[in-house]
Amino acid sequence: MNDLFQNSPLPNCGSVECLGLKFSSEEARREHFIAVLAEKLRDPVFRKTDGFPKGTDAAILAMSDPPYYTACPNPFLEDFVRCYGKPYHPSEKYSREPETIDVSVGKTDPIYQAHAYHTKVPHLAIVPSILHFTEPNDVVLDAFAGSGMTGVAAQWCGAAPSAYRHELESEWKRQGKAPPVWGARRVILNDLSPAATFISANYNIPFDVSIFSAAVKKIFKEIEQEVGWMYETFHSDHVTKSRIEFTIWSEVFSCASCSGEIIFTEAAMDETKSQVANMLECPHCGAASKKEKMELAFESFLDSATGKIEKRPKRVPTLINYKVGKATFSKRPDAADLAILKGIDGLQLPEEVPTTVLPDCQMTRVGRMRTTNTVATHFMFLPRAAQVLGLLWKKAKAHPDARMRQALLYYVEQAIWTTSVMNRFQPQGFKQVNKYLPGVFYVPSQICEVSPWYAIGARGDRIAKVFANFVRATGNACVSTGSAANLGIPANSIDYIFTDPPFGENIYYADLNILVESWHGVTTDAKPEAIVDRVREKGVPEYQHLMKHCFAEYYRVLKPGRWMTVIFSNSRAAVWNAIQVALQQVGFVVAEVTALDKQLGSFQQVTSPNVVKQDLIISAYKPNGGLEDRFLRNGATADTAWDFVQTHLKQLPAVKITSGYPQELLNIVERDPRRIYDRMASWFIRHSTMVPISTPEFLAELPVRFRETDGMVFLPEQLVEYEKARVRIPQVAQAELFVSDERSAIDWLTNFLLKRPSTRSEIHPEYIPQIGTAKRKGEIIPELDQLLENNFLQYDGSGDVPSQIHSYLSTNHKDLRGLEKNHPALVAKAKDRWYVPDPNKAHDLEKKRERTLLKEFETYKAFTGRKIKESRLEVLRAGFRSAWGNKDYATIINVANKLPEETLQEDEKLLLWYDQALTRTEAGA
């Protein structure tokens, strides 16, 4: 069966093998699996599957190409994994470090641009990760696949041209990495949206590009013959007929002073500057006003789809752009143009044009969708656009070959958004195609109605060229439509997961996709959609709950010891923490979080999500079966804790180097002792057990059990690798710290004092500017004096000068070099300087600090008001940690209920303790 993946057979070109079955042709294969899927669709239990789209059996079958693609949950995924996957064997050796990617790479690539979608990570950005984490024929999964770029990347690993391979291999060699193993990977793609999976399928399942090109030309020839008259206009000589490229339509407003009509384009457009004026002047009375203060004029019309009288904004054509030969001209519509438009307006709406009522959603409740009364999908097209788009759709669906029908619809559907009333006129733009506002339904006051030739005429050739050069293999990809929380894939069967899930309320995918999905007749079930949506009463907690179920399914199907890469694109700390907590609750361990600095072109490790505006790349792994087995056997003991640390350190990179010149070693944030403790504690909490070792005990014993240098913890063999790199590249680039809370203030002071032990008067002017810009709302950060007293030591002039201070002074002051530690001059200069305690004294200091924090936590427990408006995060963390250790879940829940919602949601640790406390309380109820 592996021979299946070495070729890309064309439709009906001979016998084929699929899922272990042999067929005489592709058509025979399709007929067999269509019959199996049709039978499955008649099963009422199957139709109740979570995330099952809304549509008739006929509509779902028309979109599908089973077993490779189904516009519903794919019942063949288990067979796909069984036939083409490799079973998990605990004895199989596998070791990888986190891999950072540049999510902006490849956005100009022709494959990326072959079909638009609301959000896309370019395939060229994904390829390095797949090559790094997998081997040829491994199975990759993306259950939030969108337009299917992960699938394209998986197949690109076997189809990449030699120039790309040489470039990537050279870059890996420069980084000291072994060359990648080229070869296609198999991929499972899933999305809740039928619109998304239809794009995915056509990106990843091959079709005959020569037949496609001929079919596109035939459709446009027929379109020319049947409706070409709709786009005819006379040139200025009143003799030469020409074809319209686009027509500008303008809304009409009513003057507040004289009630006269104001054509927006004529009143607002400054043609000399190609921009819209802020103030509109009435041509009748001269009164000036902003558009927002004017009344939009409406007109009544008979909706031929419903037979009812409806209202729509009054719109008039103001400018026609047309071509004579290769020359482009513009003119105002004349009587002949207006007569053609009037005739089109009286035509019956084509039956192919959907009349779906738009759902109650955030975009229809507010803004221009509401004020323009755009309440149904056919309201989103001007009469001429509706006629032609309906005809294009009809002809694409009429093609006799099933696979070619899908390819043609993939092509035609790209005209839907750009031919709608959402296509804005932007005079400063080179082209007027795809000028809609991305990620939202928005109806502009100036609509640019484009002809089908102008919209997608040349796109057919571009698509054919793209897929002629990108060789895809039939059967390498399997596409499913449904919830990521219920995939129907066997446990421990997936080799790598790359995923770009929805984040918060960035994009309302289900609502946006109804425009395209209504043409197919299959629409998204929005109930399990993992977004923040006020209309559907989904807040951050509900979003976290949905994401937890999806990540739990990812955890179930991923092989132990394997990796998942998650792209995060939301700057809200609450959403970030919801993702972090959801990942940890189901068992994943985060090994690295990085952000792409697009100005510097380098990756910065993330220390505080509150200040990050770039895309974040989360690298997480599923602990191997050995660790989990030992935990089940030995329970929550200190030895188990150190077993976790040993295992976790193996997963972390030993060396990270900046790009560019000169190179610097990066400080690896995940190797910070406190970060390691947090990962360990989260792992025990996820298992609903007590954390068997306290923070002070952990921090004191960590450097005894492992190797610590430059503030990072290593295994012995990793330290050797790091020190070799340290000799070669002596400069270490420290991660930038932002003071947003008490913990980050302590970290900033620690970094500062390690470099320069200082007096309070020296620290103060450096520290104060760090406070404020990133400070969390409602967070109390203790005064500098309290932070120093509770966390650091001050030399009072008694005894020898501490080594840390002695080293700093002798290095930076020539007159103090070579002096004994009790020399009067050295003592005088060292007196009153604060410094970081050595590990032995830090242990005692940490215990003292913990007692102080818990004492203050008692005041929060005793609080009787409605909400604790301001709080110390370190106090809350200490209190929740102590309550968890004492199995006092009620205290965690009670105090959490007194906190503002953002205080809880914006801290990963508090949120994890709270959620687990709720889980334990409900389990015991």
Side-chain angles (χ1 to χ4, degrees), residues 489-634:
I489 298 173
N492 302 327
S493 62
I494 299 298
D495 296 292
Y496 172 59
I497 296 170
F498 183 96
T499 193
D500 180 21
F503 287 104
E505 53 189 337
N506 281 12
I507 301 286
Y508 299 102
Y509 291 94
D511 298 331
L512 289 169
N513 284 335
I514 196 170
L515 178 58
V516 172
E517 290 173 353
S518 60
W519 285 81
H520 288 285
V522 186
T523 59
T524 303
D525 174 16
K527 185 178 179 181
E529 185 179 26
I531 62 170
V532 175
D533 187 343
R534 283 167 285 181
V535 173
R536 294 187 174 92
E537 297 182 343
K538 293 179 183 177
V540 173
E542 289 75 20
Y543 166 74
Q544 180 190 324
H545 180 75
L546 289 165
M547 285 306 305
K548 177 183 174 182
H549 286 297
C550 296
F551 283 143
E553 183 71 345
Y554 272 158
Y555 187 87
R556 183 185 69 81
V557 302
L558 186 65
K559 291 178 180 177
R562 297 303 183 107
W563 288 85
M564 175 171 71
T565 300
V566 183
I567 306 299
F568 177 83
S569 306
N570 188 304
S571 60
R572 281 187 64 192
V575 176
W576 163 257
N577 285 309
I579 287 292
Q580 288 268 78
V581 170
L583 279 169
Q584 293 175 114
Q585 280 181 319
V586 303
F588 282 109
V589 180
V590 175
E592 187 172 75
V593 181
T594 55
L596 172 64
D597 187 325
K598 293 177 181 174
Q599 288 184 328
L600 298 177
S602 61
F603 295 95
Q604 305 297 321
Q605 293 177 86
V606 177
T607 57
S608 173
N610 298 296
V611 295
V612 173
K613 303 302 180 187
Q614 308 102 320
D615 292 325
L616 303 183
I617 300 99
I618 305 169
S619 297
Y621 65 89
K622 178 178 178 177
N624 62 48
L627 176 66
E628 294 291 332
D629 290 344
R630 291 191 295 274
F631 170 78
L632 292 174
R633 187 167 60 246
N634 302 325

Side-chain angles (χ1 to χ4, degrees), residues 777-851:
K777 182 181 178 182
E779 167 69 10
I780 298 174
I781 299 179
E783 294 295 328
L784 176 59
D785 291 335
Q786 187 178 350
L787 288 172
L788 291 171
E789 184 68 32
N790 290 344
N791 300 281
F792 304 95
L793 298 176
Q794 186 181 36
Y795 176 57
D796 60 5
S798 303
D800 289 349
V801 174
S803 298
Q804 191 182 130
I805 301 177
H806 177 260
S807 176
Y808 168 74
L809 292 177
S810 61
T811 300
N812 292 276
H813 297 271
K814 291 182 180 179
D815 57 325
L816 299 178
R817 291 175 184 169
L819 300 181
E820 296 293 329
K821 290 185 178 181
N822 58 1
H823 192 283
L826 188 64
V827 170
K829 193 70 175 177
K831 190 173 183 298
D832 295 330
R833 289 182 183 269
W834 291 91
Y835 64 99
V836 179
D838 63 51
N840 292 328
K841 293 181 180 177
H843 182 204
D844 295 333
L845 202 62
E846 188 73 30
K847 283 187 174 181
K848 175 187 171 185
R849 180 172 177 272
E850 189 87 358
R851 287 194 296 270

Side-chain angles (χ1 to χ4, degrees), residues 99 162 311 342 412 474 524 616 652 749 751 864 901 916:
E99 172 77 359
S162 57
K311 284 188 175 183
K342 185 176 180 180
V412 170
T474 300
T524 303
L616 303 183
L652 304 182
L749 288 168
N751 277 10
T864 57
E901 188 174 309
Q916 291 297 107

Side-chain angles (χ1 to χ4, degrees), residues 117-378:
Y117 194 62
H118 313 298
T119 57
K120 294 171 74 174
V121 176
H123 66 288
L124 293 180
I126 307 171
V127 168
S129 284
I130 294 179
L131 288 171
H132 174 78
F133 288 111
T134 66
E135 300 290 332
N137 292 327
D138 278 357
V139 180
V140 178
L141 168 66
D142 185 353
F144 295 100
S147 60
M149 289 296 100
T150 300
V152 173
Q155 300 201 67
W156 180 264
C157 292
S162 57
Y164 176 86
R165 298 186 185 209
H166 175 72
E167 181 183 352
L168 187 70
E169 287 172 358
S170 298
E171 174 61 24
W172 281 27
K173 183 177 181 181
R174 193 188 66 80
Q175 296 175 9
K177 295 172 59 176
V181 181
W182 298 96
R185 278 65 169 165
R186 301 185 178 95
V187 66
I188 294 175
L189 303 168
N190 176 81
D191 201 276
L192 195 63
S193 162
T197 58
F198 188 72
I199 301 171
S200 287
N202 283 280
Y203 254 126
N204 286 280
I205 301 173
F207 55 85
D208 189 319
V209 293
S210 60
I211 296 176
F212 171 80
S213 293
V216 169
K217 289 180 173 62
K218 182 175 183 290
I219 287 174
F220 267 90
K221 184 178 180 181
E222 294 174 354
I223 291 288
E224 175 72 45
Q225 294 170 347
E226 296 179 36
V227 295
W229 61 271
M230 293 185 179
Y231 292 92
E232 287 182 349
T233 190
F234 282 104
H235 187 36
S236 56
D237 61 6
H238 303 293
V239 175
T240 306
K241 280 187 177 182
S242 55
R243 179 188 288 162
I244 294 172
E245 297 274 82
F246 59 83
T247 303
I248 308 305
W249 292 77
S250 172
E251 287 182 339
V252 177
F253 290 85
S254 178
C255 176
S257 299
C258 69
S259 299
E261 287 192 344
I262 302 173
I263 297 175
F264 178 78
T265 298
E266 295 177 354
M269 179 59 67
D270 184 339
E271 294 185 8
T272 61
K273 297 181 180 178
S274 294
Q275 62 185 28
V276 175
N278 190 37
M279 299 293 290
L280 309 185
E281 185 176 303
C282 176
H284 308 291
C285 68
S289 179
K290 289 186 176 182
K291 182 183 80 170
E292 290 76 15
K293 294 187 177 181
M294 294 182 174
E295 288 288 330
L296 182 61
F298 281 84
E299 62 183 12
S300 298
F301 74 103
L302 177 64
D303 183 359
S304 61
T306 63
K308 297 180 180 178
I309 301 296
E310 298 284 357
K311 284 188 175 183
R312 64 187 176 196
K314 186 174 183 180
R315 298 176 176 121
V316 296
T318 60
L319 187 73
I320 291 176
N321 179 282
Y322 63 97
K323 269 192 171 183
V324 178
K326 293 185 178 181
T328 302
F329 301 90
S330 294
K331 70 173 209 176
R332 291 182 180 275
D334 55 31
D337 298 317
L338 296 175
I340 289 175
L341 291 171
K342 185 176 180 180
I344 295 170
D345 200 21
L347 296 176
Q348 186 75 19
L349 187 73
E351 63 179 22
E352 288 76 19
V353 179
T355 57
T356 308
V357 175
L358 295 175
D360 179 24
C361 64
Q362 188 66 23
M363 293 180 293
T364 57
R365 283 190 177 187
V366 298
R368 295 280 299 168
M369 290 293 287
R370 183 179 63 83
T371 57
T372 57
N373 192 41
T374 307
V375 296
T377 51
H378 62 298

